[in-house]
Every structure is written in C-alpha cells, then in structure tokens.
Amino acid sequence: MTFEHTDLGRRFASEVETAAYRIVQEALTNVALHAGVKQATVRMWANGSMLGMQIEDRGIGFDVRSTPVTTLGLTGMRERVHALGGELTLESSPGRGTRVTAELPLTAPIEHASLMRA
Amino acid sequence: MSTSILLADDHHLVRQGLRVLLAAEPDFHLVGEAADAREVVDLAERLRPDVLVLDLLMPGINGLSALRQVVKCAPKTRVIMLSMCSSEAYVSEALQEGAAGYVLKSSRADELILAVREVAAGRSFLSPPLSEKIVEGYLKSRNGAVLDPYDTLTTREREVLYLVAGGLSNAEIADKLFVSPRTVETHRANLMRKLNLHNHAELIRYAIRRGILPAEE
C-alpha cells in the first residue's frame, strides 16, 4: 500500500477521525476482497474546511451501474459520510480499477443545527 | 506482418508530415486519418487499427477523453499519445488511462517509428527524456509519500478543470457533460478547494504549470 498525505499534523473531531478510519478500512477491505490486486494507494489531505481521503486501486474494477452497491459495504460508507455532511464519490469501470473519494467537513453541520434547535 | 495505423491530429500539416514519415516504412500501412477527437473515436471503432497515433490536444473532446473512449471501444488498438508537453502529470495520466506510448513532438522522426514498432509488439514506449523523469518520480515516491493534490480529483473534477481552463463557462460545461450548471459549480468549487486555488486567474496559472493548457497559443 502506498500512503500519500498532506497537512495531517493535527487531530480532528473524534467523529470525523472515526469516520475517516472506517471509510479507509472498508475501502481497503473491498480492494483485498474484490479488486484482484495487492496494491492500493491511500491519499489523505486536509485544509481549512475538509478532511479528504481517497482509496484507489488498479484492479479489475466493476460496472458501477449494474453492481448492487449494498454488496460492497458502500451503503455504510455513504451513510457515514452523509451523516457528517460530507460527499462520497465512487468511480469504477471493468478493467480500470476503482477510486473512492470522500470529503468530510471538519465541523459537523447537522449536529450543529440540532444543537441550535435544542 | 504489417501494422495498420490510424493518425489523429487536428493540424493538416502535421498529419501530412506524419503520413509521409510512416508511409516510408514498408511494413506500415495507414488506414485512416482524423482531424478531431470525435472522428478518432468513430474511426478507431470502425477500423480497429493496430496502432493509433493520437494528438493530446485535439479540439472537441480533448485527447485524453478520446484515449479513454478508444481504450473502451477498440481495446486491441495500441495508442501512442503525441504531445508537445512533457509534463509528468500528463504523461502519467495518459499511461494510466491506457496509452501504450507517449512521444514528444520535439522527438526525432525515427523515434516515432520505433514507438509504433514497440507498441505494436505489445511493449510500451516513452520518449527518452520522459522515461528518465518517470524513473526519477518513482524513486522520489518510494522515499517521501507527498500527496499531489491533482491526484485527489475525481474524473468529473478533472474534466471540469480541463474545460474551465479551455475557457468554457459553467453553462457550456454543463451542456457538454449533460449535467446542470449547479453541478458544474459544485465540481468547480470542490476542485478549486482541493488544489488550493482561489480564483480564475490562479486556476489558469495552475493549468499552464501542469501542462493542461499549452503556455503558448
């Protein structure tokens, strides 16, 4: 595995860190189980507003439209990201590998909103 | 055994030069020529040439998108990208998208002929200054794993970056990609944040530095 990163010399909110950890773990599990390769690149970056992560492999890939996403634990990843107000993009096609990119806001807007109401 | 070749470059003179050059080889035969990216994809699918020599900066959809589509619809065709740009980002993206060779327009004529033979034989070919760069890049990446923010862009964000750099408005890009202008706006904001760009001028400067836009027009 190759790990590339930038601006990670600090801690983030624990729910953001946990989500990031789970997403990378889940995506790497997918690579190990389905990609047919033993190599993946994990990229992580942070800026003022987002913590980003990307897990990319050059494996067999799959057809995003015809594969039920539930089989890949993607629903879980997506829910995790959305719960924190982030975005997840899944890109793959047969023979061309898979790339999962997620960005999580450093301040969780949903929780913030519910606090305001309470 | 003879090698069938399809030529794609939007400059008439360049095509003519390449044609003369390649036709001089008895075991090469040219099966077609294309002047824009859409035509390339059509012809590649119909003619299934052994080798496609493809200009990176063709009008219409750009050369990389054409490459992507050719790889999909004519998977046996080996593609050589022809470019004036030796930027590593472009070279490695072309290779990742399935190009078998990358030849600089500043190369000598016999280099292209060699490239055609190499890729037709199932090997890859890079113009010598590039292969050195790639090796350097590999050695560097083994030591420090510094992230190149460009790598973090999704395919859509890359497409939007090329089109914005090409001078298209959000509405025009939306039309081209069959999405709403709002979606384009989101992609644009995301890619600018990832690349740490704050305005259009910075985006253009970035595009030139990365070889997405040629420095001279």
Side-chain angles (χ1 to χ4, degrees), chain B residues 114-170:
Chain B
L114 180 61
V116 171
R117 291 196 202 289
E118 285 293 302
V119 304
R123 293 183 287 267
S124 6
F125 182 91
L126 294 177
S127 286
L130 301 176
S131 42
E132 276 164 35
K133 267 196 192 174
I134 295 278
V135 172
E136 256 172 49
Y138 171 74
L139 290 176
K140 221 186 282 170
S141 76
R142 278 199 334 168
N143 299 332
V146 179
L147 177 103
D148 177 354
Y150 180 86
D151 288 334
T152 71
L153 301 183
T154 64
T155 306
R156 261 304 194 232
E157 286 162 359
R158 288 171 205 213
E159 280 170 344
V160 171
L161 171 63
Y162 292 150
L163 294 171
V164 172
L168 271 67
S169 71
N170 284 358

Side-chain angles (χ1 to χ4, degrees), chain B:
Chain B
M1 220 190 74
S2 97
T3 302
S4 59
I5 303 171
L6 174 63
L7 267 184
D9 193 298
D10 56 314
H11 297 107
H12 185 74
L13 270 177
V14 175
R15 278 205 314 280
Q16 202 164 22
L18 292 174
R19 192 192 310 143
V20 172
L21 179 74
L22 296 169
E25 299 300 303
D27 55 332
F28 288 180
H29 73 280
L30 288 175
V31 292
E33 289 180 23
D36 70 58
R38 206 169 299 278
E39 209 181 346
V40 183
V41 179
D42 270 7
L43 284 178
E45 188 166 19
R46 256 190 306 132
L47 303 171
R48 305 286 164 124
D50 296 322
V51 175
L52 163 64
V53 177
L54 174 63
D55 181 19
L56 190 62
L57 290 173
M58 299 215 18
I61 47 176
N62 73 42
L64 278 176
S65 324
L67 167 65
R68 216 170 292 144
Q69 289 177 38
V70 169
V71 166
K72 223 178 262 174
C73 70
K76 291 216 169 101
T77 295
R78 308 274 291 164
V79 185
I80 296 175
M81 297 307 282
L82 196 59
S83 169
M84 3 186 213
C85 169
S86 63
S87 141
E88 209 183 311
Y90 249 150
V91 180
S92 69
E93 180 143 32
L95 296 178
Q96 280 178 10
E97 292 293 352
Y102 195 108
V103 173
L104 294 173
K105 284 192 172 171
S106 55
S107 305
R108 288 164 30 156
D110 50 356
E111 214 169 275
L112 180 64
I113 291 165
L114 180 61
V116 171
R117 291 196 202 289
E118 285 293 302
V119 304
R123 293 183 287 267
S124 6
F125 182 91
L126 294 177
S127 286
L130 301 176
S131 42
E132 276 164 35
K133 267 196 192 174
I134 295 278
V135 172
E136 256 172 49
Y138 171 74
L139 290 176
K140 221 186 282 170
S141 76
R142 278 199 334 168
N143 299 332
V146 179
L147 177 103
D148 177 354
Y150 180 86
D151 288 334
T152 71
L153 301 183
T154 64
T155 306
R156 261 304 194 232
E157 286 162 359
R158 288 171 205 213
E159 280 170 344
V160 171
L161 171 63
Y162 292 150
L163 294 171
V164 172
L168 271 67
S169 71
N170 284 358
E172 288 166 327
I173 296 171
D175 248 23
K176 242 186 165 66
L177 300 180
F178 303 107
V179 297
S180 74
R182 226 192 116 81
T183 305
V184 174
E185 185 51 54
T186 308
H187 287 314
R188 188 172 175 156
N190 286 345
L191 78 90
M192 289 183 69
R193 190 186 57 246
K194 284 180 179 175
L195 299 176
N196 195 24
L197 304 172
H198 305 97
N199 54 49
H200 193 67
E202 285 184 9
L203 186 146
I204 296 296
R205 206 159 50 212
Y206 178 84
I208 291 171
R209 206 177 62 226
R210 291 300 295 236
I212 291 163
L213 264 184
E216 84 286 3
E217 260 304 327

Side-chain angles (χ1 to χ4, degrees), chain A residues 2-6 42-45 47 49-50 54 56 58 87 89 91 93 96 99 101 103, chain B residues 68 71-72 95-98 141 145-148 151-158 190 193-194:
Chain A
T2 314
F3 181 49
E4 301 172 357
H5 57 89
T6 181
V42 175
R43 303 190 175 93
M44 295 201 77
W45 63 97
N47 50 43
S49 56
M50 296 276 189
Q54 183 178 66
E56 183 173 40
R58 297 269 147 209
E87 271 305 322
T89 308
E91 300 171 283
S93 61
R96 311 219 40 84
R99 177 159 67 200
T101 311
E103 280 193 297
Chain B
R68 216 170 292 144
V71 166
K72 223 178 262 174
L95 296 178
Q96 280 178 10
E97 292 293 352
S141 76
V146 179
L147 177 103
D148 177 354
D151 288 334
T152 71
L153 301 183
T154 64
T155 306
R156 261 304 194 232
E157 286 162 359
R158 288 171 205 213
N190 286 345
R193 190 186 57 246
K194 284 180 179 175

Side-chain angles (χ1 to χ4, degrees), chain A:
Chain A
M1 194 197 85
T2 314
F3 181 49
E4 301 172 357
H5 57 89
T6 181
D7 279 343
L8 291 180
R10 56 186 160 135
R11 302 297 304 250
F12 303 96
S14 68
E15 63 270 22
V16 172
E17 286 188 352
T18 308
Y21 177 77
R22 294 286 178 206
I23 290 159
V24 174
Q25 184 184 42
E26 187 70 48
L28 284 177
T29 307
N30 282 340
V31 175
L33 292 179
H34 306 292
V37 287
K38 291 187 159 30
Q39 265 298 320
T41 302
V42 175
R43 303 190 175 93
M44 295 201 77
W45 63 97
N47 50 43
S49 56
M50 296 276 189
L51 174 64
M53 67 222 69
Q54 183 178 66
I55 303 87
E56 183 173 40
D57 69 71
R58 297 269 147 209
I60 56 171
F62 60 95
D63 188 338
V64 177
R65 272 158 304 187
S66 69
T67 308
V69 290
T70 45
T71 58
L72 297 172
L74 282 162
T75 322
M77 274 198 261
R78 207 161 247 145
E79 276 167 7
R80 224 176 256 288
V81 171
H82 286 168
L84 294 173
E87 271 305 322
L88 183 134
T89 308
L90 168 73
E91 300 171 283
S92 188
S93 61
R96 311 219 40 84
T98 301
R99 177 159 67 200
V100 176
T101 311
E103 280 193 297
L104 303 172
L106 294 180
T107 49
I110 296 165
E111 286 185 345
H112 186 66
S114 60
L115 273 180
M116 298 287 280
R117 269 199 306 275

